[in-house]
Amino acid sequence: MENENKKTYLFPLITLTTLFFMWGFITCLNDILIPYLKGVFLLEQSQATLVQLAFFLAYFVVSLIYFIVSATYGDPILKIGYKNTIALGLFLSAVACFLFFIEASDEHPVFAVFLSALFLLGAGFTFLQIAANPLVASLGSSDTASSRLNLSQAFNSLGTTLAPVIGGTLIFEYFLQDGGGASSVRIPYLVLASLLLILFGVIFFADIPSINIQDDSRELDKLGALKYPHLVFGMIGIFCYVGAEVAIGSNLVDYMNKCHGLENLQASRLLTFYWGGAMIGRFMGSISMSKMKAQMKVVWMLLMAVASLLLIFFVLVKAAKMDLNSFLDFFVTEKVYMFLIFLLLNFVVFLLAKSVPSKTLGLFSLVNILLILVMLTTTGNISLWSILAVGLFNSIMFPNIVTLAIDGLGKYTSQGSSLLVMMILGGALVPFAQGLIADLTDPKVAFALPMVCYGYLLWYGFVGCGIKRSTDASLDK
């Protein structure tokens, strides 16, 4: 029976994992789009971060509408199905990418049209975010649901790792030479639209098992989930985490331009270490949180760290067309070896956290605060690699916050999950605020804002997640 289940779920799992990869890739491509659009439309940094505002605002708007409809008329996903919801999200995302292609073909492109396409893209990804996670969790034994989700999210991080290099190379090097201007994004987004449509077709016609859940949402207290303090604090935690992660990623290229004198192409390649760090941390975290014996965890975490790091190096070498000597020169000149020191620190903190989600979240937040302090108070490569290393400690924050926030919600779990997705709004507001601070002061000082976000996550990990509803225990069931 076990082998039969593996055969039944193998193709759906591979398909959905590909989906996680694609939306990670496209989401991170926004970081490359910001400096590109900034040059095309002569924007200030705060104006350029409207890219993230439009994209992540869609998460809030669509999730809010979904929550209202769910509380009033019943859960829409339970009516149309998880697979169809994912297919709808993919279709909307593909249409958004085609809008990029069409508008970039115009001799006089309009910035507002690009923002509208980004909003539509975010709307499509919202449906993916709401439906894909529980579907992946359902494809097999509940005992291994966490393992499957961590694996899928790791491939999501793989997409964010490849996007700065591949996207930066395509936009800034190859297609920028082909006429320049807005036309530089035509071919990349046409390819993405085509891939999303193919994935839409695969999902739509695939035999993916459904989730059998009784729709009793009409019997629930419409605002029942909000009565649990640890969920409400977790909502703020998601806002802070996504806001800080996206704000840093969105402003790093501008920071490297102005404070380190790096060109866009070179900066986009170094940005790979920020998102690549998240990938390494998630792969290591999935092992750390598993049921393996302690000694085996250490071995596999080290192996996974080495393998992921080699993948990052391979991508960089291929994208930059380096030979061995060029790579060694890059390794020494850019002080890449400093990243290895932070990787070792990441491994040590994992061991100190002892696989406890709340403790891991608290310690990782503390390290990120210290890393940003180092970045703010130093110069040169120490400052640069300190902020790039923040990605390593962002890695497990999102799944840990979600796990802690929905713990004990019982029949309000679905409602609580939609509220958490809604708070991805942080990815819209915090980057814009940091860009505004950068315009008013300087790009380096603006990174103090994400440090405040990590301060809240430090409190949530050690204190806030433990503040749970103590009365009317029947609501938990």
Side-chain angles (χ1 to χ4, degrees):
M1 180 64 69
E2 184 178 354
N3 291 335
E4 183 180 348
N5 287 339
K6 287 182 179 179
K7 293 180 180 179
T8 302
Y9 296 137
L10 180 60
F11 179 74
L13 280 173
I14 292 175
T15 304
L16 291 172
T17 299
T18 304
L19 170 64
F20 274 76
F21 171 84
M22 283 295 296
W23 100 48
F25 185 95
I26 297 175
T27 298
C28 191
L29 200 60
N30 289 348
D31 294 338
I32 303 302
L33 201 61
I34 287 175
Y36 155 76
L37 291 177
K38 185 178 178 181
V40 171
F41 295 102
L42 304 178
L43 306 172
E44 296 292 335
Q45 182 63 13
S46 57
Q47 294 174 313
T49 54
L50 288 174
V51 168
Q52 300 292 18
L53 179 63
F55 180 76
F56 285 100
L57 184 62
Y59 276 90
F60 177 78
V61 173
V62 175
S63 295
L64 178 60
I65 295 173
Y66 176 87
F67 174 74
I68 294 173
V69 172
S70 177
T72 307
Y73 301 105
D75 195 335
I77 290 181
L78 297 183
K79 300 180 185 301
I80 69 175
Y82 280 81
K83 185 182 82 168
N84 291 335
T85 303
I86 292 173
L88 172 63
L90 284 167
F91 181 77
L92 291 176
S93 302
V95 171
C97 289
F98 272 123
L99 286 178
F100 271 104
F101 172 75
I102 294 172
E103 183 62 18
S105 304
D106 197 310
E107 293 184 2
H108 303 286
V110 179
F111 185 50
V113 176
F114 279 101
L115 295 181
S116 299
L118 281 163
F119 185 89
L120 182 61
L121 183 64
F125 281 9
T126 302
F127 287 112
L128 299 180
Q129 190 80 256
I130 294 174
N133 285 313
L135 186 55
V136 168
S138 72
L139 297 178
S141 170
S142 58
D143 294 336
T144 55
S146 178
S147 176
R148 289 190 298 275
L149 279 172
N150 280 320
L151 181 62
S152 294
Q153 290 173 356
F155 276 91
N156 180 269
S157 293
L158 177 61
T160 64
T161 301
L162 298 180
V165 176
I166 297 177
T169 301
L170 289 177
I171 293 174
F172 291 129
E173 185 172 320
Y174 289 102
F175 296 112
L176 190 61
Q177 298 172 357
D178 185 21
S183 62
S184 303
V185 299
R186 290 181 61 211
I187 302 303
Y189 276 92
L190 178 62
V191 171
L192 291 174
S194 302
L195 291 175
L196 286 169
L197 280 180
I198 293 173
L199 197 52
F200 161 80
V202 172
I203 291 286
F204 187 79
F205 293 106
D207 182 18
I208 297 178
S210 60
I211 303 177
N212 297 318
I213 303 176
Q214 183 179 358
D215 183 8
D216 61 351
S217 55
R218 292 187 182 183
E219 303 174 5
L220 302 181
D221 181 344
K222 293 181 180 180
L223 300 178
L226 292 174
K227 295 181 180 180
Y228 297 92
H230 69 289
L231 171 68
V232 176
F233 294 141
M235 291 168 60
I236 301 173
I238 290 294
F239 181 94
C240 289
Y241 161 70
V242 178
E245 181 185 52
V246 175
I248 292 174
S250 300
N251 289 281
L252 265 175
V253 172
D254 182 66
Y255 161 71
M256 287 188 275
N257 289 161
K258 295 178 178 178
C259 298
H260 294 273
L262 302 179
E263 299 295 332
N264 282 337
L265 181 59
Q266 187 179 5
S268 68
R269 288 170 179 166
L270 288 179
L271 186 63
T272 305
F273 287 95
Y274 176 72
W275 295 110
M279 176 190 69
I280 295 173
R282 283 186 176 179
F283 275 121
M284 292 174 66
S286 65
I287 297 171
S288 175
M289 304 292 177
S290 71
K291 296 181 180 179
M292 286 185 188
K293 293 182 179 179
Q295 292 180 341
M296 290 302 298
K297 281 185 181 181
V298 171
V299 173
W300 280 106
M301 286 173 68
L302 288 174
L303 289 175
M304 187 58 66
V306 172
S308 301
L309 189 62
L310 289 176
L311 175 62
I312 294 174
F313 288 157
F314 176 78
V315 170
L316 285 171
V317 167
K318 286 296 183 181
K321 299 178 181 178
M322 300 180 188
D323 55 24
L324 180 59
N325 290 332
S326 298
F327 172 74
L328 292 176
D329 181 63
F330 166 78
F331 190 87
V332 175
T333 303
E334 301 296 338
K335 304 295 190 295
V336 177
Y337 54 81
M338 295 183 66
F339 186 78
L340 302 181
I341 299 174
F342 293 116
L343 180 56
L344 179 61
L345 175 63
N346 184 252
F347 176 76
V348 171
V349 178
F350 263 124
L351 296 182
L352 292 175
K354 298 181 179 179
S355 303
V356 179
S358 58
K359 190 175 182 180
T360 306
L361 175 62
L363 288 176
F364 274 37
S365 300
L366 176 60
V367 173
N368 274 351
I369 292 172
L370 296 175
L371 287 174
I372 296 177
L373 279 174
V374 171
M375 174 262 190
L376 292 173
T377 55
T378 60
T379 58
N381 286 295
I382 294 178
S383 178
L384 175 60
W385 284 103
S386 292
I387 195 63
L388 290 173
V390 168
L392 283 165
F393 297 89
N394 279 337
S395 55
I396 50 76
M397 286 187 177
F398 187 88
N400 278 23
I401 295 170
V402 171
T403 300
L404 294 168
I406 65 174
D407 181 48
L409 294 188
K411 61 185 180 182
Y412 292 103
T413 299
S414 178
Q415 190 180 82
S417 297
S418 66
L419 290 169
L420 291 172
V421 173
M422 188 188 305
M423 298 310 289
I424 292 177
L425 175 68
L429 300 184
V430 179
F432 177 74
Q434 182 172 338
L436 190 61
I437 295 172
D439 288 339
L440 295 175
T441 57
D442 67 72
K444 190 171 184 178
V445 172
F447 282 89
L449 181 59
M451 185 171 64
V452 175
C453 294
Y454 290 122
Y456 177 84
L457 294 174
L458 171 66
W459 175 84
Y460 183 71
F462 287 121
V463 180
C465 67
I467 304 176
K468 299 185 178 181
R469 184 180 177 86
S470 59
T471 60
D472 198 2
S474 62
L475 286 176
D476 296 342
K477 299 178 181 178

